[in-house]
Amino acid sequence: MSEQNKTPQTLQEWQDLAASLKIEGRAFINGEYVDALSGATRPTINPADGQELAQIASCGPEDAELAVKIARKTFESGVWSNMPPMERKKIMVRFAELIEQNKVEIALLESLDAGKPISDTMNVDVPGAVTTIRWTGEGIDKIYDEVAPTGPNELALVQRMPLGVVAAIVPWNFPLSTTAWKLGPALATGNSVILKPASNTPLTAIKLAGLAKEAGLPDGVLNVLPGPGSSLGKTLGLHMDIDCLTFTGSTEVGKTLTEYAGQSNLKRTFLELGGKSPNIVFADADLDKAAEAAALAVFYNQGETCTAGTRLLVEKGIAKDFIEKVKKASERFVPGHPQDPNTVMGALIDQSQFDTVEFYVAKGLEQGAQLACGGKPADAVAGGHYYEPTIFTGVNGDMTIAREEIFGPVLSVIEFEDEAEALQIANDSIYGLAAGVWTKDISRAHRMAREIRAGSVWVNNYFGGDITVPFGGFKQSGNGRDKSLHALDKYCELKSTWIDLS
């Protein structure tokens, strides 16, 4: 392991390390790596070159039934749910330390599995997961229950109780980060968890399960089931003995999971879904800084980001010059091999996502938008799916590319006359996940931040924030919040106890 944690410095060194990895592809149930009960497997594919990375257990309804039964039994045993918060904290902090100690291997698994640049997985994804697990663990013994104000003959207690069995379904674009966002608060509050990673990016979730056991997490508290959403995800959504479902992914799937909750036991269902985020630039902004951020906002992570600033709203008087600045800033997002430390934009996840990007680019041209740059596949690595940074101008709010989530490196530029029109365009969306506002006028900044219907508004920056602030959306971008102390509330029941002392 020590050899694997010497940080490679070149593409060849990363590829040599990848060739030496022994990738675990089994499910994790009751503290052990196991095959799917059916014995079925499916390949996980490297988006960089289309080559198979490993065979992964393909779990089905029967595996879900087993995992739920074990998770429930473990929860009711109290081995974790009744463990003093200070003791749970020690295990959570140790879990974070083990992730950090294995950061090179975990970063490589994430890059191989998701097509993300290794520089991002090393410097953003893994450190973020470490911070989330450590911070949430550290916080759990500092959250106090309450004593309500009563007369002298009564005592009223308000206590936070763990929900029970939590099913967490995470996406393929940020599999490690979102897994940490779910596991941190769900485990810290004493729940048992069944984690279903996206079927095409299971590797880091499977790795984390073993590290959690090594940290001291009791068997049965965390179970990881790789498998298809159509059968496994549906089973979890409809299961009568799961108390909470937390999901990050598309709005379409989120609606389906909500229906499953209603059809079954009304399980708590928390959703972080799609976005079509506006990034609004006024004429008085620092235009150079705003242009660099506008390119990052849409091209980071190949555009496969729910908060991506895919609608760039620009005040008309500066639009022409500002678009040129954004085009210039986009030139550094040259698609390249994900394991090359110099790469800033990697591969799209698979052929289906590549086809989706192609479809929307064609739709933009068909509806009259003009290409300022890009609009075609990139020639990066044979067998992979790469796409050039693409900017459309002449876009209006009725165009498909201005309304639907593309999940690729495609930017739509929309011009506006004044603050009122900018606000109207920004809110003209079924989504409300995030937004950016660029202005030196502090009063305008506050007005816009207040009136934009989005869960996160970034002023004179994009992607700002850390573990201390909540993350989630308005409207069809979901409900509930990940991150911050507010996330702990998602995984607790409030119990009121009223005692007569007379």
Side-chain angles (χ1 to χ4, degrees):
M1 186 62 67
S2 61
E3 286 298 313
Q4 290 180 346
N5 277 288
K6 291 180 180 178
T7 305
Q9 301 299 315
T10 66
L11 171 60
Q12 187 60 55
E13 289 177 358
W14 280 109
Q15 290 180 316
D16 290 344
L17 179 57
S20 70
L21 282 181
K22 294 181 180 179
I23 296 177
E24 178 61 72
R26 292 175 292 175
F28 191 85
I29 300 176
N30 203 22
E32 301 291 338
Y33 285 113
V34 296
D35 294 324
L37 289 173
S38 67
T41 63
R42 67 180 298 276
T44 186
I45 303 299
N46 186 347
D49 56 17
Q51 298 300 305
E52 180 180 316
L53 290 167
Q55 286 289 322
I56 306 299
S58 186
C59 295
E62 64 278 10
D63 300 283
E65 290 292 342
L66 174 61
V68 172
K69 185 178 297 184
I70 289 169
R72 173 62 60 189
K73 182 178 179 180
T74 304
F75 176 76
E76 293 182 352
S77 76
V79 66
W80 181 250
S81 57
N82 289 335
M83 184 182 289
M86 189 172 291
E87 297 304 311
R88 289 204 303 267
K89 177 187 73 173
K90 292 176 183 177
I91 293 173
M92 295 291 290
V93 171
R94 177 60 179 154
F95 184 21
E97 290 171 349
L98 289 172
I99 298 172
E100 194 165 38
Q101 289 172 17
N102 289 270
K103 64 181 180 181
V104 171
E105 181 182 355
I106 294 171
L108 179 55
L109 288 173
E110 188 84 338
S111 178
L112 290 169
D113 217 16
K116 299 162 70 76
I118 192 67
S119 58
D120 287 343
T121 60
M122 275 291 291
N123 299 319
V124 180
D125 298 68
V126 175
V130 171
T131 296
T132 297
I133 299 296
R134 177 181 286 131
W135 190 89
T136 311
E138 286 280 7
I140 196 59
D141 66 345
K142 302 168 184 67
I143 303 296
Y144 287 79
D145 291 330
E146 302 167 22
V147 178
T150 63
N153 292 324
E154 296 89 23
L155 176 65
L157 307 177
V158 181
Q159 296 169 285
R160 291 179 176 85
M161 313 296 290
L163 278 173
V165 177
V166 174
I169 303 176
V170 299
W172 49 258
N173 62 324
F174 286 93
L176 180 62
S177 300
T178 50
T179 291
W181 290 358
K182 312 299 186 187
L183 290 188
L187 291 176
T189 48
N191 298 285
S192 295
V193 179
I194 298 167
L195 172 64
K196 196 200 93 61
S199 57
N200 48 359
T201 54
L203 297 185
T204 50
I206 294 172
K207 175 67 180 179
L208 259 56
L211 295 180
K213 177 181 174 70
E214 185 179 343
L217 195 71
D219 293 347
V221 175
L222 174 60
N223 305 275
V224 179
L225 303 180
S230 56
S231 58
L232 179 58
K234 183 176 182 178
T235 300
L236 296 174
L238 288 169
H239 205 288
M240 295 295 291
D241 207 25
I242 289 176
D243 303 290
C244 172
L245 181 62
T246 178
F247 169 74
T248 296
S250 72
T251 296
E252 179 183 6
V253 174
K255 290 180 178 180
T256 300
L257 293 174
T258 303
E259 291 175 3
Y260 291 160
Q263 292 167 18
S264 53
N265 61 342
L266 287 176
K267 58 179 63 66
R268 301 278 188 87
T269 304
F270 300 109
L271 309 168
E272 191 270 287
L273 307 175
K276 194 69 181 176
S277 300
N279 189 20
I280 307 164
V281 181
F282 289 94
D284 67 338
D286 181 335
L287 299 183
D288 291 331
K289 182 180 178 182
E292 290 289 336
L296 177 69
V298 68
F299 302 132
Y300 174 69
N301 203 53
Q302 304 74 248
E304 297 168 329
T305 307
C306 55
T307 53
T310 52
R311 290 188 295 153
L312 179 60
L313 280 55
V314 185
E315 193 166 350
K316 282 188 177 179
I318 61 165
K320 182 177 179 181
D321 290 341
F322 187 73
I323 291 167
E324 289 303 313
K325 290 178 181 290
V326 177
K327 285 173 59 179
K328 182 68 175 177
S330 73
E331 292 175 1
R332 74 182 185 92
F333 290 89
V334 178
H337 197 296
Q339 281 83 65
D340 185 339
N342 296 314
T343 292
V344 295
M345 192 160 87
L348 296 173
I349 189 69
D350 56 23
Q351 181 69 52
S352 176
Q353 194 58 34
F354 178 86
D355 292 343
T356 295
V357 173
E358 289 262 81
F359 166 81
Y360 280 108
V361 169
K363 180 64 71 173
L365 292 171
E366 175 188 319
Q367 294 181 341
Q370 295 91 49
L371 270 175
C373 66
K376 60 183 184 295
D379 183 16
V381 181
H385 302 292
Y386 301 84
Y387 210 86
E388 292 183 348
T390 299
I391 299 175
F392 276 107
T393 59
V395 179
N396 65 59
D398 294 327
M399 292 182 179
T400 302
I401 58 172
R403 306 203 68 81
E404 298 183 11
E405 186 174 41
I406 299 172
F407 232 57
V410 181
L411 178 64
S412 296
V413 181
I414 304 172
E415 299 181 21
F416 66 87
E417 290 281 0
D418 55 26
E419 182 179 321
E421 186 181 16
L423 184 61
Q424 183 274 322
I425 295 170
N427 285 335
D428 183 22
S429 173
I430 64 170
Y431 300 111
L433 191 56
V437 177
W438 295 84
T439 179
K440 293 177 182 177
D441 183 332
I442 188 65
S443 297
R444 172 189 283 156
H446 278 286
R447 287 193 301 268
M448 294 295 291
R450 180 180 177 84
E451 296 300 325
I452 292 172
R453 298 282 295 162
S456 296
V457 179
W458 299 303
V459 177
N460 294 330
N461 71 97
Y462 208 91
F463 295 137
D466 60 18
I467 188 60
T468 64
V469 293
F471 176 77
F474 290 14
K475 299 187 281 187
Q476 293 188 46
S477 288
N479 59 64
R481 292 295 183 267
D482 291 313
K483 300 170 56 182
S484 84
L485 293 177
H486 293 282
L488 298 172
D489 293 337
K490 289 170 51 177
Y491 302 103
C492 294
E493 292 277 19
L494 288 182
K495 174 178 285 190
S496 297
T497 302
W498 190 279
I499 304 170
D500 187 341
L501 301 176
S502 62

